[in-house]
Amino acid sequence: DPKIIQKPKYLVAVTGSEKILICEQYLGHNAMYWYRQSAKKPLEFMFSYSYQKLMDNQTASSRFQPQSSKKNHLDLQITALKPDDSATYFCASSQDRGNEQYFGPGTRLTVL
Amino acid sequence: AQSVTQPDARVTVSEGASLQLRCKYSYSGTPYLFWYVQYPRQGLQLLLKYYSGDPVVQGVNGFEAEFSKSNSSFHLRKASVHWSDSAVYFCVLNTGYQNFYFGKGTSLTVIP
């Protein structure tokens, strides 16, 4: 059974629109993260949350907003989409300090 | 500042040959170190981890890594590679809490 679910798997959007990427983890972890990976850039850290509180934000643009409605959820809202936002977005989770992260399968976003 | 360097962006080896992927980290404290593998169009999967103790740690699929505090390194090795090992390998440093630092990855191609 998948431990980290990301929905949808593929997403196509038009420039200027808004999308929400879903992430749910069933590992009982208290920390969750978002990463972005594109052809132009290697794996890029975006956000980290712990106990539903924002711990670190390395995303310059306010168009990216994480949303944590439950401890095991960390969705990513992206507004005013641009073609440069096209990438695969990975959600991850970990438990406490020093423990390894577990990654979801990713959502592949294409902005036309 | 903390960082991880993987000096080789691409490595090509023949099937059956031995492999070493290099990783250097920068951190003055006690590091937690990981190697992840990413197969095409998939998320990252944990290969192995080092917290403390024996500097040589064993991972899945015959991989091992050796931690060296004096060299600030955590190199990944495999005695005999298989074509299915072709993937991108990431070295990751955790400095505690939710602070993870990723290398840029090394793309491994195994020639049959």
Side-chain angles (χ1 to χ4, degrees):
Chain A
D1 291 336
K3 301 300 184 183
I4 300 183
I5 297 172
Q6 288 190 246
K7 294 184 287 189
K9 187 173 183 179
Y10 300 99
L11 185 58
V12 179
V14 296
T15 297
S17 67
E18 172 183 314
K19 292 294 181 185
I20 295 179
L21 281 55
I22 305 296
C23 177
E24 305 169 12
Q25 56 93 1
Y26 296 94
L27 296 163
H29 290 166
N30 54 36
M32 296 185 71
Y33 313 79
W34 277 103
Y35 290 85
R36 176 170 54 191
Q37 187 178 47
S38 67
K40 296 179 182 178
K41 294 183 180 180
L43 197 65
E44 180 186 6
F45 169 76
M46 299 179 74
F47 300 98
S48 67
Y49 265 64
S50 179
Y51 293 101
Q52 295 186 264
K53 293 184 179 179
L54 178 66
M55 301 301 292
D56 195 5
N57 177 359
Q58 296 292 329
T59 303
S61 173
S62 60
R63 296 187 299 108
F64 295 85
Q65 291 292 327
Q67 300 171 344
S68 181
S69 59
K70 299 179 185 178
K71 179 185 173 184
N72 68 326
H73 283 230
L74 186 63
D75 300 335
L76 181 64
Q77 180 186 39
I78 313 174
T79 58
L81 280 161
K82 303 177 180 180
D84 273 354
D85 297 331
S86 297
T88 300
Y89 291 79
F90 290 103
C91 175
S93 70
S94 71
Q95 180 69 14
D96 298 325
R97 68 163 75 186
N99 286 311
E100 64 270 25
Q101 292 177 310
Y102 291 83
F103 284 79
T107 292
R108 189 168 181 175
L109 172 65
T110 302
V111 183
L112 303 174
Chain B
Q2 295 79 26
S3 67
V4 173
T5 301
Q6 293 180 246
D8 305 309
R10 297 182 183 278
V11 170
T12 301
V13 298
S14 298
E15 193 167 27
S18 63
L19 171 72
Q20 177 171 278
L21 301 182
R22 296 182 292 163
C23 172
K24 300 272 287 184
Y25 68 90
S26 175
Y27 178 54
S28 58
T30 301
Y32 301 101
L33 294 159
F34 311 89
W35 275 98
Y36 285 83
V37 61
Q38 184 180 29
Y39 298 103
R41 294 174 295 283
Q42 295 186 26
L44 279 71
Q45 302 171 30
L46 181 68
L47 270 182
L48 48 77
K49 59 187 177 185
Y50 172 80
Y51 290 163
S52 64
D54 189 337
V56 178
V57 292
Q58 305 295 322
V60 298
N61 297 333
F63 285 94
E64 67 174 28
E66 183 167 5
F67 168 69
S68 171
K69 186 174 182 179
S70 60
N71 294 324
S72 297
S73 66
F74 189 55
H75 301 328
L76 181 70
R77 302 190 298 238
K78 187 170 184 178
S80 177
V81 296
H82 187 264
W83 65 266
S84 60
D85 292 326
S86 295
V88 180
Y89 292 79
F90 292 93
C91 181
V92 182
L93 164 69
N94 177 259
T95 60
Y97 296 104
Q98 291 79 35
N99 301 320
F100 290 86
Y101 301 87
F102 280 71
K104 293 187 177 181
T106 296
S107 178
L108 173 66
T109 301
V110 179
I111 302 172

